[in-house]
Amino acid sequence: MTTSAAATLVPFDEVLERYDPALGLEVHVELNTATKMFCGCPAAFGGEPNTNVCPTCLGLPGSMPAVNRRAVESAIRIGLALNCQIAEWCRFARKNYFYPDMPKNFQTSQYDEPICFEGFMDVDVDGETFRVEIERAHMEEDTGKSTHVGGLTGRIHGADYSLVDYNRAGIPLIEIVTKPITGAGEKAPAVARAYVSQLRDLIVALGVSEARMDQGNLRADVNLSLAPKGSGTLGTRTETKNVNSFRSVERAVRYEMQRHAAVLDGGGSILQETRHWHEDTGVTTSGREKSDADDYRYFPEPDLVPIAPSREWVEELGGTLPENPTEKRGRLQTEWGFSDLDMRDTVGAGALTLVEETVAAGASPQSARKWWLGEMARRANDSNVEIAELGVTPADVARVQALVDEGTLNDKLARQVFDGLLAGEGTPDEILAARGLAIVSDDGALSAAVDNAIAANPDVADKIRDGKLAAAGALIGAVMKEMSGQADAARVRELILEKLT
Ligand SMILES: [Zn+2]
């Protein structure tokens, strides 16, 4: 195994002085159908290993597959949402290779006859629109899952033994492949991130997948190549596999651009290979040399009838599409009264849907935006996860804001409620009660604390008696300190002035 922790990198700005990057993204979407692609086994996540299996998804001799109609429907809806053409007739194909987690020794996929082809998605990056052209979206099945035990890295190298769980084998996947994305220049990493992020929003809006990157429902492979600046050609690409967050997509593109440039600057050539992304160190390492399609000996699947979706069905499915994302952003911006910058930041943070759901749960757009882009974004960044995966829901944020609005919490106490939410201590109201966080506005308790503050700060009290009301701030601070920040500051001020003037 080569390790490229020590790979030489060219500074990002210098890469762009000499090279034009080309991106390509392959995104696998695991559909949320009730059953698998070609058999009736449950397609649910989790479950005891090797319990959701049958002769078909285990590839036993004599078993016969049958296509899941709902999966075809989801594929067509994804294709239509990506402005694709829908094939009038297409077939499945066998992709032949050996992998221990693939019991049939071939993957049932689509080869030269994908169900969806020639589409596009417009991606917004910093207020600029890039059109990402979609080459194809095809149907296939997932493999099982291997667990390599005993090694340090969790990979097969160095492991003592491996376990295979076939529960995932045969779960329907849609693979969405872009054409090479050129012309993005320095924005290539951001375009890659924005594409995957917007694609996820679209998948969520379609309701065809849970689309959680952390659970592998949505997996991105990032292709990157560099060509000499202005040459108009495409260089040799590498494919970084299974990058599992938006942020990592951006980082992986940036890293590969810098690594490719160093190899090319040194007179070397890029090996066409797959690479592994290492989330912790932010580097890629060499995987396996990339196979050409020829090596897979694709041939049409003889056990499945061709798929021939009628035009009436396609049209009917076209009527079930969610609002176009670009139009939706425009509508929300108007409804929320956000500036272009507010909106751009919200989209850029991957918080559009979260803000939308928080507003739907009763918060004002500005307060929803404040929490998600401030407190939540900071915490997500600290824990190295996407904000959607923090474990705080839009309903939680809306409830916390409602408690602030009604005067039960201030922003400081609200942050302690979020601490409790992240620690899994229950609902905002449960945390509020358990941690005793509510603001105290009871005059008895406040009056005693004010008396203590006056007694401890006689000089400040004298100033206030002399009419220097601005000095009250020091006493309010003392009361707040005594009451752990839980005093109603406005009422404390009133009490101080009542007592001293
Ligand atoms: Zn099965």
Side-chain angles (χ1 to χ4, degrees):
M1 279 287 281
T2 51
T3 163
S4 63
T8 324
L9 300 181
V10 168
F12 188 75
D13 291 344
E14 275 183 41
V15 175
L16 296 153
E17 288 168 13
R18 296 191 287 281
Y19 301 101
D20 292 326
L23 288 167
L25 291 145
E26 295 172 18
V27 174
H28 286 89
V29 178
E30 201 170 70
L31 299 179
N32 59 1
T33 52
T35 56
K36 291 186 180 181
M37 187 81 216
F38 303 113
C39 64
C41 291
F45 182 80
E48 285 296 303
N50 298 308
T51 51
N52 298 336
V53 292
C54 73
T56 299
C57 56
L58 288 176
L60 301 187
S63 60
M64 287 291 279
V67 176
N68 183 332
R69 181 183 166 92
R70 178 53 69 90
V72 176
E73 181 183 295
S74 294
I76 294 173
R77 292 180 69 234
I78 289 172
L80 291 172
L82 291 170
N83 306 293
C84 288
Q85 301 188 47
I86 308 301
E88 296 193 16
W89 190 92
C90 65
R91 285 180 295 188
F92 285 96
R94 290 190 181 184
K95 182 181 184 182
N96 298 282
Y97 63 107
F98 171 77
Y99 236 64
D101 54 16
M102 197 175 60
K104 297 187 295 189
N105 273 350
F106 61 85
Q107 180 186 31
T108 308
S109 181
Q110 292 194 289
Y111 179 45
D112 51 353
E113 299 164 323
I115 187 160
C116 313
F117 53 95
E118 298 287 337
F120 65 87
M121 183 163 82
D122 286 331
V123 172
D124 290 341
V125 177
D126 300 338
E128 218 183 313
T129 302
F130 283 88
R131 174 154 294 187
V132 173
E133 299 201 60
I134 308 292
E135 183 178 296
R136 56 191 281 151
H138 68 251
M139 300 179 282
E140 60 184 35
E141 58 180 337
D142 211 343
T143 59
K145 192 176 189 323
S146 300
T147 307
H148 306 297
V149 183
L152 288 173
T153 59
R155 299 189 190 280
I156 196 164
H157 299 271
D160 295 329
Y161 60 94
S162 298
L163 299 168
V164 186
D165 175 9
Y166 292 120
N167 283 354
R168 203 179 65 181
I171 288 184
L173 295 178
I174 305 299
E175 179 174 348
I176 301 160
V177 183
T178 69
K179 291 185 180 171
I181 305 163
T182 55
E186 63 179 350
K187 289 191 174 164
V191 168
R193 176 190 178 128
Y195 168 73
V196 179
S197 168
Q198 271 185 234
L199 182 58
R200 180 184 181 274
D201 284 348
L202 188 66
I203 297 294
V204 169
L206 285 164
V208 294
S209 169
E210 302 314 313
R212 296 216 19 191
M213 291 191 87
D214 62 333
Q215 292 192 357
N217 305 135
L218 195 125
R219 311 195 282 269
D221 300 338
V222 180
N223 287 277
L224 182 102
S225 63
L226 294 183
K229 198 169 179 64
S231 69
T233 59
L234 289 175
T236 303
R237 66 191 167 89
T238 52
E239 179 182 353
T240 305
K241 303 288 284 183
N242 293 330
V243 186
N244 64 1
S245 73
F246 305 137
R247 185 164 161 267
S248 299
V249 167
E250 183 167 3
R251 290 170 73 205
V253 170
R254 177 176 278 266
Y255 179 86
E256 280 294 280
M257 284 173 68
Q258 294 179 265
R259 192 186 65 83
H260 279 220
V263 172
L264 296 170
D265 279 356
S269 52
I270 299 295
L271 182 66
Q272 185 172 327
E273 62 178 355
T274 63
R275 297 186 66 85
H276 300 296
W277 168 249
H278 300 273
E279 185 71 47
D280 47 351
T281 49
V283 306
T284 65
T285 54
S286 187
R288 61 183 158 84
E289 208 166 325
K290 179 73 178 166
S291 309
D292 285 326
D294 287 352
D295 298 336
Y296 290 119
R297 296 294 187 272
Y298 280 99
F299 63 87
E301 168 59 59
D303 288 346
L304 289 167
V305 293
I307 307 284
S310 73
R311 295 302 95 179
E312 292 74 32
W313 191 32
V314 172
E315 197 173 315
E316 188 191 315
L317 293 176
T320 69
L321 297 187
E323 188 179 7
N324 170 299
T326 309
E327 286 166 16
K328 181 177 176 179
R329 279 196 296 279
R331 173 177 64 79
L332 290 176
Q333 182 174 354
T334 307
E335 282 176 18
W336 294 347
F338 278 13
S339 68
D340 287 350
L341 187 64
D342 286 348
M343 201 63 187
R344 200 182 300 169
D345 288 349
T346 305
V347 172
L352 187 69
T353 305
L354 295 167
V355 171
E356 185 189 5
E357 289 173 359
T358 306
V359 171
S364 71
Q366 286 298 349
S367 64
R369 182 179 170 279
K370 179 190 83 172
W371 287 119
W372 286 111
L373 268 68
E375 194 65 17
M376 297 304 122
R378 185 180 63 72
R379 288 166 188 259
N381 195 45
D382 288 348
S383 341
N384 215 3
V385 297
E386 302 295 335
I387 47 177
E389 291 162 4
L390 259 181
V392 174
T393 67
D396 292 335
V397 173
R399 179 59 189 153
V400 169
Q401 181 58 38
L403 290 166
V404 171
D405 290 341
E406 70 184 41
T408 305
L409 292 175
N410 55 30
D411 281 9
K412 183 166 169 256
L413 295 169
R415 284 194 281 275
Q416 294 183 49
V417 174
F418 287 122
D419 289 339
L421 282 166
L422 291 176
E425 293 172 17
T427 67
D429 290 277
E430 287 164 359
I431 294 162
L432 177 74
R435 291 194 174 206
L437 292 175
I439 287 173
V440 177
S441 46
D442 163 54
D443 272 1
L446 292 181
S447 185
V450 168
D451 288 342
N452 291 345
I454 290 171
N457 300 278
D459 48 335
V460 178
D462 284 343
K463 281 186 193 166
I464 298 169
R465 287 194 188 95
D466 290 346
K468 291 176 184 148
L469 302 187
L475 292 185
I476 296 170
V479 172
M480 279 294 184
K481 195 171 174 193
E482 180 175 332
M483 302 194 65
S484 310
Q486 287 176 243
D488 176 343
R491 185 62 193 141
V492 169
R493 184 182 171 82
E494 286 171 9
L495 287 173
I496 291 168
L497 298 183
E498 274 171 27
K499 286 172 193 282
L500 296 179
T501 58

